[in-house]
Amino acid sequence: MSTVEEAEVREKQRKPASRDRYFDLLRAVALFRVVFYHLMGWAWLPVVFPSMGVMFALAGNLMARSLNRRPAVAVVRGRLRRLLPPLWLLGAVGVTGMLLGGWGPSEEGHPLWWWLHLAFWILPLSDPPYGEGLPGIHGLIGADWAVAVGVPLWYLRAYLWFVLLSPLLLRALRAAPWPTVLAPIALSAALEFGVLTVPGWRLEAGLTDLGAFGACWLLGMAHQEGVLRRLPRYVVPSLAPMVACAGLWYASTQGFEEGHDLDDMPFAQSLWSFAAVLLLLHLSPAWQEWPRRLRRWDRLITLLNSRAVTIYLWHSAGIVVVESLWDRLWSIGFLETDAHWILVSPWAQLPAVWLLTAGCVVCFGWMEDLAAGRHPRLWPDGRPGAHRA
């Protein structure tokens, strides 16, 4: 590391930590888009705003800032302490429901492996198992509820690996910034075009997500380290649109459509997310306070940031419940004849999904506070001492 870079690191270590409201806004928009996409299923939504890439970039930025202030072991331990208890709470509810619904060792045919794989609900080094094809619950929850609980957990698995690798990634970033940032995209290309093959779907899934979103995580770290600031101002606006167009072009060659979008195309995802995150970080205004036009949204954005893990973990189950209840509305005659749009439009379900997600925030969000060593709060929207449990 050069003398100038060492001085920058020491300066950042002396400065007290403060919230970047621009990053809070990006995280809130990303979370809202995730819920919106999982309900609507529109293929263009991940293009308009690549939420997962943004969330990984913001997490990488925070990880680099923490590593500049505290020992790596303490930082990793702290991140795990914040991440795992909300997962354990979801597992306590979800896995118990799956077992009561008939899920068990016979589902995979290898009882010992089934029990060992359950450990991924404790430490998600790989995707935790879940019961596919379980029946619904008294007509109130659809038959695919276990899938809705289990599938989104890939994010926690990828996040965990990024956290564990971050001390090494930060060293590599300081030694060779841009080769390190671009290495995950090269990995994604190698997997996509068959240059690299790996045995087993679990290892393949981990490497695929590392290739798809690793550059975003590293861009967040690079932003914190000042790497992006050292670029000439014209480089990012000139380069990022070309990379984005390359990603969209490749997606178009792979049958980009509803039901088969960027989430199913890791290489296209890596290019598009990298370009979008690069532009968003390039534009970063580093707000310490809200601009006047955004102040009205302060409490909502604060709430979304304070309960980001809870909302992400529980919203898919909420969508399944709302869709199951909506199906029961077909038995109401006047709705079928006079208000048919209510029954078929996901827009009508959106308020119910957020209402149920808000209920999950109240019922389960306190675990995020306990995990962070804070006094549990029911509705942490930024008001001092409000709504303590």
Side-chain angles (χ1 to χ4, degrees):
M1 188 186 302
S2 68
T3 304
V4 174
E5 290 170 336
E6 290 176 350
E8 288 181 357
V9 171
R10 288 194 296 270
E11 180 65 20
K12 283 184 278 190
Q13 291 173 338
R14 286 194 293 267
K15 290 181 180 179
S18 59
R19 294 200 68 90
D20 188 326
R21 288 303 194 177
Y22 175 69
F23 283 2
D24 286 348
L25 175 63
L26 290 181
R27 189 178 294 105
V29 173
L31 196 58
F32 183 87
R33 203 283 288 160
V34 167
V35 177
F36 197 65
Y37 167 74
H38 285 162
L39 177 63
M40 300 297 185
W42 295 333
W44 51 267
L45 280 174
V47 175
V48 171
F49 195 84
S51 288
M52 306 317 299
V54 169
M55 291 168 69
F56 281 122
L58 299 180
N61 183 278
L62 289 176
M63 192 70 185
R65 185 171 71 174
S66 297
L67 288 170
N68 282 329
R69 290 181 166 88
R70 293 184 290 145
V73 173
V75 173
V76 171
R77 184 171 58 242
R79 287 292 182 273
L80 296 183
R81 188 187 67 232
R82 288 170 176 261
L83 176 71
L84 296 179
L87 171 65
W88 296 340
L89 181 57
L90 176 70
V93 176
V95 174
T96 299
M98 294 177 207
L99 294 174
L100 293 175
W103 186 48
S106 60
E107 295 295 317
E108 296 187 13
H110 303 284
L112 178 60
W113 282 114
W114 185 86
W115 286 108
L116 290 175
H117 290 163
L118 282 183
F120 292 136
W121 281 95
I122 300 174
L123 186 65
L125 294 172
S126 186
D127 294 327
Y130 52 86
E132 295 187 63
L134 293 179
I137 301 177
H138 302 301
L140 299 177
I141 303 179
D144 54 354
W145 68 272
V147 176
V149 170
V151 167
L153 298 182
W154 73 267
Y155 172 73
L156 270 69
R157 180 255 299 154
Y159 184 99
L160 173 62
W161 276 109
F162 282 133
V163 167
L164 295 175
L165 293 172
S166 281
L168 296 177
L169 294 175
L170 187 58
R171 288 186 180 183
L173 184 70
R174 289 169 175 170
W178 288 107
T180 300
V181 169
L182 297 175
I185 298 178
L187 171 62
S188 185
L191 291 170
E192 179 74 16
F193 300 111
V195 177
L196 176 65
T197 58
V198 293
W201 70 267
R202 291 186 181 276
L203 179 58
E204 182 181 6
L207 289 178
T208 296
D209 292 334
L210 176 62
F213 300 109
C216 295
W217 184 279
L218 286 162
L219 279 175
M221 301 183 89
H223 180 272
Q224 178 64 30
E225 290 293 296
V227 174
L228 302 186
R229 289 195 300 272
R230 293 195 287 271
L231 288 175
R233 295 293 295 176
Y234 64 84
V235 170
V236 171
S238 302
L239 179 64
M242 291 190 291
V243 177
C245 288
L248 286 184
W249 170 82
Y250 187 75
S252 69
T253 67
Q254 302 301 303
F256 180 79
E257 59 185 9
E258 187 168 329
H260 185 62
D261 53 30
L262 288 180
D263 288 347
D264 303 316
M265 305 173 186
F267 180 57
Q269 176 78 271
S270 69
L271 294 174
W272 177 258
S273 295
F274 170 82
V277 166
L278 187 60
L279 277 173
L280 289 171
L281 294 179
H282 174 77
L283 297 172
S284 177
W287 295 329
Q288 300 303 312
E289 295 182 359
W290 288 116
R292 184 181 300 274
R293 63 186 180 279
L294 293 176
R295 289 174 187 171
R296 69 182 71 179
W297 303 103
D298 174 53
R299 285 170 55 187
L300 175 60
I301 294 173
T302 300
L303 176 66
L304 291 173
N305 278 268
S306 299
R307 290 294 181 261
V309 176
T310 299
I311 293 171
Y312 181 83
L313 289 177
W314 290 92
H315 78 276
S316 292
I319 290 174
V320 170
V321 172
V322 169
E323 290 177 342
S324 301
L325 294 175
W326 235 251
D327 288 340
R328 296 170 67 89
L329 295 180
W330 285 94
S331 61
I332 302 176
F334 80 90
L335 288 178
E336 185 175 1
T337 57
D338 300 327
H340 187 263
W341 67 271
I342 293 178
L343 302 178
V344 298
S345 173
W347 286 101
Q349 300 176 25
L350 185 61
V353 167
W354 275 108
L355 182 62
L356 195 55
T357 302
C360 291
V361 166
V362 173
C363 294
F364 307 115
W366 49 268
M367 182 58 79
E368 290 196 59
D369 291 325
L370 291 183
R374 297 188 297 260
H375 191 286
R377 299 163 293 170
L378 295 180
W379 198 253
D381 58 0
R383 288 178 293 171
H387 301 291
R388 287 193 171 188

